Amino acid sequence: MEQIAIIDLGSNSIRFVIIQISVKGSYKLIYQEKESIRLSDGMFENNMCLTEEAQQRALKSLMVYSHIIKSHNITKVLAVATAAVRNAKNGSSFIKRVRASTGIPMTVISGFAEATLGFSGVIHTIDQKDFLLFDLGGASVEISLVKNKKRVNSISIPIGAVTLTEKFHSENKISASLKEEMELFIAKQLNRIDWLPKKNIPIIGIGGTVRNLAKIHQRKKQYPLSKLHNYHIPTKDLYRIITNLTKTTTEERKYISGLSNERNDIIIAGTLVIQELLKAVKPEELIISGCGLREGIFFRYYDKKYDNKKEYLKNMLISSVKNYKASIPLHDNKHVTLVTKIALTMFDQWKSLHNLPNRFRKLLFTASFLHDTGILINYYSHARHSAYLTANAHIFGLSHKEQIMCAFIIAFHHGYSRKFTRNNPYLSLLSDEDIKQIKILACFLQLAECLDESNSQLVNKVVCSSSHNMALIRVYITETHFDMFAHAVNDIAPYFEKLFDIKLVFEWYPSNRAKR
């Protein structure tokens, strides 16, 4: 087992995380801290040099991180500094000062490297093939064009939420003329990008400004999830939020739900950059990424040491689900593997019965693999606990709605639960049709679990077929006595028959029959 520390020294904030990696390669975040240090504050007035006050704020945080690194006996530290240090005339001397004061080996990365790492953080955690990516920081914005999951163009432009605020003094309420002046300045910078697509293409945003916009939108909608990663905001809603923000004073912004106090004074400049980018590309929505530079730093290290075949990128959902499951100290892997296999077999062989799209197979896989995680909390009502854990799990490759559907599948895998749905805030994300589909997948999971109720993995194979009036499942087992299995599935047959309006029939065979 190893622990690695990652430090991202930005123009506005400094972030510090510790990630633990097991000997088998599963990883989990075990520590995180963020401080607003405004490293680029005053650079314009100080001849493009980092001020002493800003350096002291950064060093204070870095000294604390250095102490934590030593107390955890961490030997692998991946620390980078971005635009503020990169653009500062005294950036090199500051980096030497960091090393001398804290012992932290920090690297100043180029704009191209920053774009590369941001792309890596997104491509490992959001399942999109073609998109435009931007990472808006305090002193720069990195923009990349991605086609077929490959980054084909990148650029770093030295405009950011902090530097633009200083340049135009836009901390407080801005006039219509100042707003227009800022918009023209930003548009001119963006017009330099000759490969910027002029058509509707998915656009993904990274950074504190986009996260704050997402929080504001979620609060307005009373969105039941607190998750920001892979949250989608319609462009028309964004324009409305940005327009309203530009009409407010710093005092009025204190009362905007979702807007961080740390970002109150720089939010106008940041949102106008996003606005002009949206105007140029004209997407239908903005996708928020909570993963960016830090995750990119991690995956660059992780891929080389633990995943040189890039299995994570090939199978994002499967890899992240298995990784999450491995972080939970349970010892039921054989049971989970068999139940998942049987449930997916039912999905594949009863396609004519359920008529669900292939995408739902991924939901059934996720639910099956995580259906017992709630035992970690309490065996009693563990389906409900498993559902909660799954709804909030750090897994990638599903939309928010799909992840909630997985949670409901798990909650229903011991039968439909009115208690779980009653006053459940997540229910607002689901339609009646979604609930119907959830019940079908939950039925498969329940049936699969019944076939390994004893947790002894005696079922070798199942073969499913159906006709106009009967669903048949042939079960091949290593036992010659079938009473235990027949008893286990007895209660689910009526539910299955009501759900599909068809009779469910079991045939039991000793496993040697499966080999013929």
Side-chain angles (χ1 to χ4, degrees), residues 15 44 48 98 100 105 123 138 157 169-170 183 186 195 211 223 236 265 279 315 433 441 448 451 477:
R15 292 176 180 267
F44 277 110
M48 289 307 292
V98 168
I123 206 66
I157 303 175
H169 304 288
S170 59
E183 289 170 341
I186 296 165
W195 46 261
R211 288 195 299 272
Y223 194 67
K236 61 180 182 180
D265 58 334
K279 284 182 180 178
N315 300 290
E433 182 64 22
L441 297 177
L451 292 176
I477 57 177

Side-chain angles (χ1 to χ4, degrees), residues 463-476:
V463 178
C464 306
S465 60
S466 64
S467 62
H468 71 282
N469 63 351
M470 182 178 71
L472 175 65
I473 178 167
R474 296 183 175 90
V475 185
Y476 297 87

